[in-house]
Amino acid sequence: MTGNGYIEAARRRPASMADVARHAGVSSQTVSRVANGLTNVDDATRERVLSSMRAVGYRPNGAARALKYGRFHTIGVIMFTLETLGNVRTLDAIATEAAAADYTVTLMPVPDPTMGAVSGAYRRLSEQAVDGIIIIFEASLLDRVEITLPPGLPVVVIDSNAGSGFAVVDTDQALGARQATEHLLGLGHRQVWHIAGPTSSFSAGHRVESWRATLEQAGIIPPPLVHGDWTTESGHRAALELAGRDDVTAIFAANDQMALGAMKALHELGRDIPNQVSVVGFDDMDESRAFWPPLTTVRQNFREVGRIAMERLLAQIDDPDAPSQTTLIPTELVVRESSGPPPAR
């Protein structure tokens, strides 16, 4: 049968490995090696086999390959929300790293931050044949229990107080808040006010604790917190409470969007930034350098968080006895024009 004949035959039924072998003029064992990603095939032969796979429409049976080699080359990601910058960038980094390792990603959003919702998502992913799971926690569990999942699948947790037994990867939230607060104190400000994220957020809580501790270590009694919900609007509302006070000369917002809202409120009330009030954010979103004035902020390395999380998960997939560990990714203070010395008294 001619090459075109093999193609026509394959179109009348699902293409088989034998069809590929006949079309490429190689053995079925060679096609199997290529389909399974083995390296004992020379480059020219591999390209010929891959070309024949495309020509006859052959798709390797991933499920059968997984049963044979014990891998599905799919990971699951459980997360509560895609509304925050950090979650979106972290998920993007995980997907990029997974693709580089020849893995696909199955996303499993959960409706509310409870242990029951997490367990249900874990069970559904287990049924969909994944090799491991990454859990991205933005909020603390409403039922206030530690993560407890049945054994069997490797798990890496991002941005959470996961408790013992899990590999954890997170931005060093405490370092970032300390960098922001120390920067403002170093400029000569006698007090630093904080617009915090929601009380349900792990990362917001870590930033509050570090901001408070940094002030206390400097001999300063922390002022009352003002809470937002990560949005620009909440930062605007919070800053309106602060901007009318002459003693407010420095504001540290827990993310850049709330910092933007705070700057809007200050502009509306005629407070000059930074000559009267300095503002520092957290995240270093792409637009931060375009704020007016450009925003001093704490840069999170979301790509590194995603990369390390995927690296830790693959290590567990390769070796179920790999030790669990917590990895904190350092932050970086990016100084721009929104922060400066306090006004002369």
Side-chain angles (χ1 to χ4, degrees), residues 73-128:
H73 275 259
T74 299
I75 67 159
V77 175
I78 298 172
M79 62 192 308
F80 296 128
T81 178
L82 281 168
E83 293 183 355
T84 64
L85 174 73
N87 281 4
V88 171
R89 286 193 174 178
T90 302
L91 179 60
D92 178 67
I94 290 170
T96 299
E97 294 299 321
D102 196 27
Y103 275 73
T104 58
V105 175
T106 297
L107 177 62
M108 185 67 67
V110 293
D112 51 72
T114 65
M115 192 60 243
V118 173
S119 298
Y122 179 93
R123 184 183 64 254
R124 291 193 298 276
L125 282 172
S126 300
E127 294 168 353
Q128 293 183 24

Side-chain angles (χ1 to χ4, degrees), residues 23-34:
H23 187 272
V26 299
S27 67
S28 293
Q29 289 86 346
T30 298
V31 177
S32 176
R33 293 188 190 103
V34 174

Side-chain angles (χ1 to χ4, degrees), residues 245-258:
R245 301 182 50 152
D246 291 337
D247 60 337
V248 174
T249 65
I251 296 174
F252 163 40
N255 76 336
D256 288 352
Q257 288 172 296
M258 293 194 298

Side-chain angles (χ1 to χ4, degrees), residues 185-227:
L185 294 177
L187 290 170
H189 294 275
R190 300 181 181 180
Q191 184 61 277
V192 177
W193 295 75
H194 185 41
I195 302 177
T199 56
S200 61
S201 168
F202 277 121
S203 56
H206 292 320
R207 294 169 201 178
V208 167
E209 291 171 5
S210 182
W211 158 79
R212 183 177 287 125
T214 302
L215 289 178
E216 289 173 346
Q217 288 167 8
I220 299 171
I221 299 175
L225 278 176
V226 183
H227 280 282

Side-chain angles (χ1 to χ4, degrees), residues 6 16-29 31 49 52:
Y6 294 133
S16 69
M17 198 173 288
D19 293 323
V20 178
R22 284 191 293 268
H23 187 272
V26 299
S27 67
S28 293
Q29 289 86 346
V31 177
V49 171
S52 293

